[in-house]
């Protein structure tokens, strides 16, 4: 059974793409952008390994409990390093009408030029691709979910065409969770100063959209 190496899962989030989403931060990234906020996701041997079916059933159960769940987001880490496995999962998710948002540190042209069959399969299942490495000198949080000016939204199907015009007006947000054991986690986009202040408040574990 194919499996996915995962850094973190957030079953319900509103800050990693449009609407309510189940988000999977994959483990492993060969791109290593300077200033990446998720360097703990770089190690190709880290994280936990989960069967695709196990993840799929968890998403199905989440959808049952939260019918407003709109889709699944793949970020990381580098989703295209596990493109074959993610494309298998994505295909199953499309069959239950969930949308797919995929982040990548590779730009779209590089992905297309590679002509890598697995990469093509993941592209085929992706509704919205957010592409390009995080470039510190181009840091910019004015658009939702992404961290630098070079990164772009690629509407690969019609699913999110309807929001293409309004995207620049969607505010960037940060979600902060407090768990019973006192752990605080955050995901989404925020200015470093705000994150630093949150870190002062507790044991915050930062997880951002891939490209920050
Ligand atoms: S920003 Fe994304 S692509 Fe760049 S090193 Fe970090 S995880 Fe990898």
């Amino acid at each position: 059974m194919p499996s996915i190496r995962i850094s973190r899962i957030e079953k319900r989030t509103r800050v990693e793409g449009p609407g309510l989403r189940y988000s999977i931060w994959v483990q492993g990234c060969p791109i290593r952008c300077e200033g990446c906020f998720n360097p703990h996701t770089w190690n190709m041997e880290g994280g936990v390994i989960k069967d695709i079916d196990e993840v799929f059933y968890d998403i199905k159960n989440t959808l049952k409990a939260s019918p407003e769940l709109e889709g699944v987001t793949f970020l990381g880490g580098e989703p295209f390093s596990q493109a074959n496995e993610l494309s298998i999962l994505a295909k199953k998710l499309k069959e239950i009408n969930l949308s797919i948002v995929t982040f990548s540190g590779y730009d779209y042209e590089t992905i297309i030029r590679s002509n890598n069959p697995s990469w093509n399969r993941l592209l085929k299942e992706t509704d919205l691709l957010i592409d390009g490495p995080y470039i510190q000198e181009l840091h910019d949080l004015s658009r939702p979910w992404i961290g630098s000016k070079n990164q772009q939204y690629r509407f690969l199907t019609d699913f999110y065409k309807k929001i293409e015009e309004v995207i620049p007006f969607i505010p960037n947000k940060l979600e902060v969770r407090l768990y019973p054991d006192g752990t605080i986690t955050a995901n989404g986009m925020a200015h470093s100063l705000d994150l630093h202040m949150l870190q002062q408040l507790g044991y915050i574990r930062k997880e951002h959209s891939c490209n920050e």
Side-chain angles (χ1 to χ4, degrees):
M1 170 58 58
S3 52
I4 306 171
R5 193 177 279 275
I6 293 173
S7 170
R8 178 189 177 189
I9 286 175
E10 198 56 68
K11 296 186 187 196
R12 295 172 191 83
T13 170
R14 291 190 180 275
V15 299
E16 306 296 355
L20 185 67
R21 312 195 69 80
Y22 186 109
S23 291
I24 302 172
W25 283 262
V26 297
Q27 179 70 35
C29 180
I31 299 176
R32 306 192 167 208
C33 309
E34 196 178 330
C36 168
F37 272 29
N38 293 336
H40 57 282
T41 65
W42 290 0
N43 181 357
M44 304 301 255
E45 304 297 322
V48 293
I49 295 173
K50 285 187 190 268
D51 283 348
I52 287 174
D53 277 350
E54 184 189 341
V55 179
F56 178 66
Y57 286 119
D58 191 50
I59 296 169
K60 262 178 89 169
N61 285 336
T62 305
L63 178 61
K64 212 173 188 179
S66 305
E68 72 273 32
L69 194 76
E70 177 168 324
V72 174
T73 298
F74 300 142
L75 62 173
E78 175 50 52
F80 279 82
S81 292
Q82 301 185 60
N84 185 48
E85 295 77 6
L86 292 176
S87 71
I88 294 169
L89 176 60
K91 194 167 190 303
K92 288 158 87 71
L93 296 170
K94 299 301 275 292
E95 285 164 10
I96 55 169
N97 298 320
L98 291 174
S99 68
I100 302 295
V101 172
T102 305
F103 284 78
S104 179
Y106 297 111
D107 57 50
Y108 182 60
E109 291 73 19
T110 303
I111 295 169
I112 294 288
R113 265 200 313 270
S114 77
N115 208 18
N116 177 318
S118 302
W119 288 19
N120 288 341
R121 277 196 289 277
L122 181 55
L123 268 193
K124 185 168 167 268
E125 303 299 341
T126 297
D127 296 295
L128 172 59
L129 174 76
I130 298 175
D131 69 312
Y134 171 64
I135 300 179
Q136 213 165 18
E137 298 72 40
L138 300 178
H139 181 81
D140 173 34
L141 298 184
S142 64
R143 296 174 300 161
W145 319 311
I146 57 183
S148 61
K149 283 194 172 89
N150 59 302
Q151 295 162 340
Q152 296 194 51
Y153 307 96
R154 311 282 185 166
F155 298 88
L156 303 183
T157 69
D158 287 340
F159 199 96
Y160 283 119
K161 281 274 182 200
K162 58 183 185 244
I163 61 164
E164 192 169 356
E165 306 252 302
V166 300
I167 275 194
F169 305 104
I170 298 174
N172 246 330
K173 288 184 194 148
L174 183 73
E175 274 178 1
V176 179
R177 289 182 176 77
L178 173 62
Y179 291 89
D181 68 355
T183 305
I184 303 170
T185 65
N187 66 292
M189 288 297 187
H191 292 283
S192 301
L193 197 59
D194 297 336
L195 283 172
H196 182 69
M197 280 168 57
L198 284 167
Q199 279 180 293
Q200 300 303 307
L201 293 173
Y203 296 105
I204 194 168
R205 182 159 61 89
K206 299 178 294 182
E207 292 281 5
H208 292 260
S209 303
C210 161
N211 301 334
E212 229 282 21

